[in-house]
């Protein structure tokens, strides 16, 4: 990539964005995503729109949640049963 050039592969950037949001324990500011992905705000908007649409349309239990200038991945209500079950399992059988 040349200096000043911007990546335009929305699918690739959406996958990278998903990975960044997945590993982050906290919601991620949009500015941080822009800097790490080396993209401008309009491109980030397209990336987030694509990622949000992809997650919502698939048979996934994860969604993109955006509030003001932060974004994060959240689980869907449909996943609540499984999440509760895992938490109960971990509480009764903690790992050493």
């Amino acid at each position: 990539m040349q200096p000043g050039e911007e990546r335009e592969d929305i699918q690739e950037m959406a996958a990278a964005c998903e990975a960044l949001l997945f590993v982050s324990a906290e919601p991620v500011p949009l500015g941080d995503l822009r800097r790490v992905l080396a993209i401008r705000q309009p491109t980030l908007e397209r990336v987030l729109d694509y990622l949000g649409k992809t997650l919502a349309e698939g048979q996934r239990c994860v969604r993109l949640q955006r509030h003001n200038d932060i974004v994060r991945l959240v689980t869907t209500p449909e996943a609540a049963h499984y999440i509760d079950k895992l938490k109960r399992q971990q509480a009764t059988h903690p790992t050493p």
Side-chain angles (χ1 to χ4, degrees):
M1 190 163 78
Q2 299 296 320
E5 187 179 338
E6 183 175 27
R7 294 176 148 182
E8 287 290 333
D9 186 346
I10 300 302
Q11 278 186 307
E12 179 184 335
M13 292 293 96
C17 185
E18 183 177 6
L20 294 170
L21 295 172
F22 179 78
V23 300
S24 179
E26 300 293 326
V28 180
L30 297 179
D32 289 355
L33 288 175
R34 276 190 308 100
R35 285 185 287 279
V36 170
L37 297 172
I39 57 178
R40 295 182 187 100
Q41 187 64 33
T43 305
L44 179 59
E45 294 297 332
R46 291 196 316 271
V47 166
L48 293 175
D49 287 346
Y50 178 84
L51 178 57
K53 183 178 176 184
T54 302
L55 291 172
E57 289 176 352
Q59 296 295 323
R60 312 274 296 271
C61 287
V62 176
R63 296 289 182 265
L64 189 69
Q65 183 182 63
R66 186 171 172 179
H67 182 70
N68 296 326
D69 67 339
I70 60 171
V71 64
R72 66 181 176 171
L73 294 177
V74 296
T75 57
T76 62
E78 295 83 9
H81 167 74
Y82 299 106
I83 294 166
D84 290 341
K85 190 173 178 179
L86 177 62
K87 287 181 179 181
R88 286 192 306 274
Q89 175 71 25
Q90 290 174 333
T92 58
H93 299 94
T95 56

